[in-house]
Amino acid sequence: VDPGKAGDNRYSLQDYVNADSGFKLQVPENWVAETPGGRIELFQKGEYGGKRIIISIEPLASKAADLRIFGDSASYGKSRAAEIEADNPGTTTTLLATSEKNEARYYYYEYVLNSFKPQHYWVVVGAGLGQNPTARKFRLRQQITVSCQ
């Protein structure tokens, strides 16, 4: 769903809930979830290669409560854009926007991957505790990245 259309009532939404990591997203109700390569992909049923939401959940390298261990949101967005270019030879990225919220617990960045056809991405990265008792007891932090195309 195009973030520019937030609040648009043309879409019937359903909740996607990840109880282990403690988050919920709303996605169009005809979307399905698959888990290739240890990540979660949400997309319209029967439409492979189109618009999608990709969620990755990784342990945060530090017990820090926020994402400042990666620098500010602008430097984090620039470093991710450089990694994307390195992973996709012959392409460039244009970083369009960055921001941070909630004392750097959430970073946002938006970019365009310039390849044979420009692809627009919106990304939110969050740092938080997992919801299982072990994560809570030992204050094990997770980095949750939600990328929308």
Side-chain angles (χ1 to χ4, degrees):
V1 176
D2 185 340
K5 296 180 180 163
D8 187 332
N9 293 329
R10 292 182 298 162
Y11 300 101
S12 295
L13 300 175
Q14 67 184 9
D15 290 340
Y16 171 80
V17 177
N18 185 308
D20 290 337
S21 294
F23 69 89
K24 173 176 78 170
L25 297 174
Q26 288 192 317
V27 299
E29 72 180 7
N30 60 345
W31 283 30
V32 295
E34 289 187 358
T35 54
R39 64 180 188 242
I40 302 159
E41 291 195 17
L42 302 162
F43 55 93
Q44 185 172 347
K45 188 174 186 175
E47 184 180 314
Y48 298 94
K51 292 184 185 291
R52 64 188 52 243
I53 297 171
I54 299 173
I55 304 167
S56 65
I57 303 167
E58 303 170 301
L60 200 52
S62 160
K63 289 188 179 183
D66 58 44
L67 297 168
R68 289 185 189 115
I69 59 172
F70 301 115
D72 64 12
S73 62
S75 61
Y76 183 77
K78 287 177 189 173
S79 70
R80 285 297 301 132
E83 288 177 28
I84 292 162
E85 285 181 13
D87 291 344
N88 297 279
T91 65
T92 61
T93 56
T94 303
L95 190 61
L96 302 174
T98 65
S99 66
E100 59 186 67
K101 299 284 186 210
N102 201 5
E103 299 178 1
R105 288 191 59 215
Y106 301 99
Y107 280 0
Y108 165 82
Y109 61 98
E110 178 181 349
Y111 68 95
V112 172
L113 176 64
N114 301 299
S115 60
F116 64 94
K117 179 181 176 188
Q119 300 172 33
H120 198 147
Y121 292 86
W122 298 265
V123 183
V124 175
V125 183
L129 292 170
Q131 296 301 302
N132 68 47
T134 302
R136 292 255 178 227
K137 179 179 178 181
F138 295 108
R139 302 189 56 78
L140 302 174
R141 302 287 178 172
Q142 293 180 327
Q143 176 182 333
I144 301 169
T145 304
V146 179
S147 176
C148 305
Q149 178 187 7

